[in-house]
Amino acid sequence: MTHDHDLVLRPTPAQTEAALNPPSRRPATTPHGGASRHAMTGRNGGDLVVETLAGLGATTVFGLPGQHALGMFDALRRSSLRYVGLRVENNAGFAADAYGRVTGEAAPLLLSTGPGALTSLAALQEAAAASAPVLAISSQIPTAGLGGGRHGYLHELPDQAASFRGVVKSVHTVRSQSQIPSAIAAAWKSALTAPHGPVWVEIPQDVLLAEATLPVVTAMDATPDDLVPRPELTALAADLLSRAERPAIIAGGGVVRADAAGKLRALAERLNAPVVTTFGGKGAFPWEHPLSLQSWLEDRHTTDFLEDADVLLVVGSGLGELSSNYHTFTPRGRVIQIEADLGKLESNHPALGIHADARPALQALLETVEERPDESAPRRVREVLAKVADRIAAQQLTLEQDVLAAVRRALPSGAPSFWDMTILAYWAWSAFDPRGANTMHSAQGAGGLGYGFPAALGAAAADPTRPVLAVSGDGGALYSIAELATAEQYGLDVTWLIVDDGGYGILREYMTDTFGQATATELSRPDYVALAESFGVPGVRTTPETLETDLTKALATPGPSVVVLPAVLRMFAPTHLG
C-alpha cells in the first residue's frame, strides 16, 4: 500500500526567489535553469540531505548525477559518506536493493529528475516485490515549476511523484530546506518498518542549490515501528499446531528478512514439522536438515504433500504464483499465515491471518506451542525428495545438474550469490543449496532482466571481505554490461558467470513449447571475454568440464572477473500444466 506524505508547506513567490538567489550568493543560471560555472562555496540544501543520511546511520550511497541533482552530489565531497556510482540508474537501484538485502539497512539511492528518475522504476519494483529497503532521493525541477503546469523546464513531468506512487511504500515531496531532515527521516523509517521496501523522496533543484542557513544536521531519530502479533492469534495458532497430526511449514522471504531462521528451525524441530522454503526464502531452513523439503515448489510431489497437511503454517510468504506452483496449490487443511505485508494476508487462501513480522511471531509460538513427537516426519520428507529426484532423473538433464553442482562446489560457503532471470537461476531456485540464510538472491520478485551483476556489485560494496557471485544469461548480461566499468573503477570483488546460449533461452523454450517455434529470441552477441578485458576486467571462456576450476580460481582472485560458459541449458518439465 502506498502512503503519500506530500509536505504541503508552499513558499511564496518571494520566498522561492530568495531561496533560488539568496543575497549572499546569487548564481547565474544557464538557459536550462541550472547553476552556471561560477563557483559555489559553503553549505547548500544538498548538505542537509547528506548530513541527514549520515545522522541516520548511512555509510554508503549509490546513484548517478544529473543536472538538477548536482547540489546533492556537490555535498557528498563534504561528507563522510562513501559514494558508489553506477552507469545506469536502474543498475544503481539494483545495487542499492542488494545492499539493503545484505545489510538490512536502508540503502540511499541518489537520482536526478525525469529520465534519470524514471529509469530506476524497474529496480524499485523489484525492491518492492522483494521487500528491500531502498531510500531513493531524487531531485525535481525548480519549485516554481511544481504543480502540473507546462513551464518547459528540462526533464519536466506534470507529476513526477505520480510515477512512483504505485511502486514504492511511501512518497515524500519537499518544498523547503527545513523539510529535508524530517522528510528523509520519515522515509527512512518507512523503508525499515516491516515489511521493508523502497521509498521515494524528491527535492526541487533550487532547494538543493540554495545556501543552507540551518545548523548542521546531527543524529536523527527514525526508529522503525515494531510489528508484533496479537497474542490471542498466536495462542490459537500454537494450539492448532500442537494438536496437528500432519503439520507442515512454508518459509518465505519474510523469515530471512526478519533474521528469524534460528527461531523457525527451533519451532520446526519442536513440532516435527517438515519445512519447504520459497524461492525468496532460500536459506530460511537448513538444506540438509532431516525435516527439509528444500525448495522444490514447482513439483507436484511437494504440492501434494503440502496439500495433505492438516495444519499448514505459512511464514513470511503471500503464497503467490511461484510459491504455489502457479496457483495450482489448494490446501485442504487449516492454514495459519504470518505476514508483515497486510495486503498479502489471506490474499490467496483463507487462513488464520496474523499480521506481524516473522521474528516476534515465531518467538510467540515458541513460547506457547507444545512439543509434538513424530518419528515418521523425516521418513515422509525422504520419500517426497526421492520422488522429486526420480522425476528429474527421468528427464536426462545431467548437463544442467552438473553445471549447478559445479557452481555450488566453487562458491565458498557464506559467500552471497545474485541470480538474473536465466535458466540456471530457475534451476537454482529449486535445486541450489544456499548454505546459509540471506546468501542467495534473485529478481524473482518482479522478474526483470539485468538484476544479477549490478546487485552483486551492491553486495560487494556492503561486505568487501568475501567474494560475490553473479549469474546471468547472455540476454540479461547485455542489460548491465556497462557496469563492468563500475566494477573495475571501485575494485569490487564480483565474479560474473555468463551462460551464453545465444538468446533468451527460457523464452525460446516457452515459445517453442507453445507455438512450435520461437520468434525474437535469438541474439547477436559480443565476445564477452574480449569485452570484459576491454574494461580491464579479466575474463575466461570455460566449459562444463572446467567450470568448477575456472570459477574457483576467479572467486579466489580479488577484484572483478568474468567467466563465460557457452552452453544451451534446458528447464525441467513443469508440473502445473496437467
Side-chain angles (χ1 to χ4, degrees), residues 43 74 113 136 159 239 401 418 439 512 514:
R43 291 169 66 243
D74 173 63
T113 319
D159 185 356
D239 180 64
Q401 293 174 289
F418 290 82
T439 58
T512 301
T514 304

Side-chain angles (χ1 to χ4, degrees), residues 47-70:
D47 287 271
L48 297 175
V49 173
V50 298
E51 290 164 6
T52 302
L53 291 174
L56 288 167
T59 59
T60 302
V61 300
F62 300 88
L64 195 67
Q67 178 174 305
H68 291 152
L70 293 182

Side-chain angles (χ1 to χ4, degrees), residues 180-429:
I180 290 175
S182 294
I184 293 177
W188 181 281
K189 180 177 180 178
S190 175
L192 290 176
T193 296
H196 294 174
V199 294
W200 183 259
V201 179
E202 57 181 26
I203 307 172
Q205 178 193 30
D206 53 311
V207 176
L208 290 171
L209 289 177
E211 181 178 8
T213 58
L214 298 173
V216 172
V217 182
T218 55
M220 297 290 296
D221 182 13
T223 305
D225 294 329
D226 293 328
L227 187 57
V228 298
R230 287 163 45 197
E232 72 275 15
L233 296 179
T234 54
L236 176 56
D239 180 64
L240 291 170
L241 289 166
S242 299
R243 293 188 293 107
E245 294 183 3
R246 299 178 310 283
I249 299 174
I250 298 177
V255 176
V256 175
R257 290 186 290 274
D259 192 21
K263 295 184 184 300
L264 174 70
R265 177 174 180 170
L267 181 65
E269 291 175 345
R270 188 171 299 180
L271 292 169
N272 273 292
V275 179
V276 62
T277 56
T278 70
F279 305 149
K282 299 282 287 187
F285 196 72
W287 191 257
E288 298 293 345
H289 193 283
L291 294 171
S292 175
L293 286 164
Q294 301 176 0
S295 299
W296 286 99
L297 285 166
E298 291 189 42
D299 189 283
R300 195 66 219 176
H301 299 301
T302 302
T303 307
D304 291 343
F305 183 91
L306 294 172
E307 287 181 347
D308 186 56
D310 61 336
V311 179
L312 179 66
L313 174 63
V314 182
V315 189
S317 171
L319 292 181
E321 184 177 41
L322 296 180
S323 301
S324 62
N325 205 353
Y326 298 91
H327 292 302
T328 62
F329 171 57
T330 54
R332 295 190 296 272
R334 187 74 180 269
V335 177
I336 301 166
Q337 185 184 15
I338 297 169
E339 176 55 56
D341 188 333
L342 187 60
K344 293 181 180 179
L345 204 61
E346 295 192 76
S347 62
N348 285 304
H349 299 282
L352 172 62
I354 302 176
H355 184 216
D357 199 16
R359 187 177 181 86
L362 288 171
Q363 178 61 38
L365 291 178
L366 278 170
E367 292 173 357
T368 50
V369 77
E370 297 177 8
E371 189 166 355
R372 182 189 162 278
D374 184 356
E375 296 181 359
S376 71
R379 173 184 56 77
R380 291 187 291 121
V381 167
R382 290 193 301 270
E383 290 173 352
V384 172
L385 293 178
K387 292 177 182 178
V388 173
D390 289 345
R391 185 178 80 86
I392 299 300
Q395 299 175 47
Q396 299 180 340
L397 296 167
T398 54
L399 171 63
E400 291 75 9
Q401 293 174 289
D402 289 348
V403 167
L404 192 62
V407 173
R408 179 60 279 174
R409 291 192 299 269
L411 184 65
S413 294
S417 58
F418 290 82
W419 303 69
D420 214 332
M421 301 298 287
T422 186
I423 286 178
L424 190 60
Y426 304 153
W427 271 92
W429 290 351

Side-chain angles (χ1 to χ4, degrees), residues 13-30 34-41 209-211:
Q15 290 172 323
T16 299
E17 173 62 24
L20 275 166
N21 298 305
S24 60
R25 187 180 71 190
R26 297 182 182 272
T29 60
T30 69
S36 76
R37 295 182 181 180
H38 296 178
M40 292 184 178
T41 59
L209 289 177
E211 181 178 8

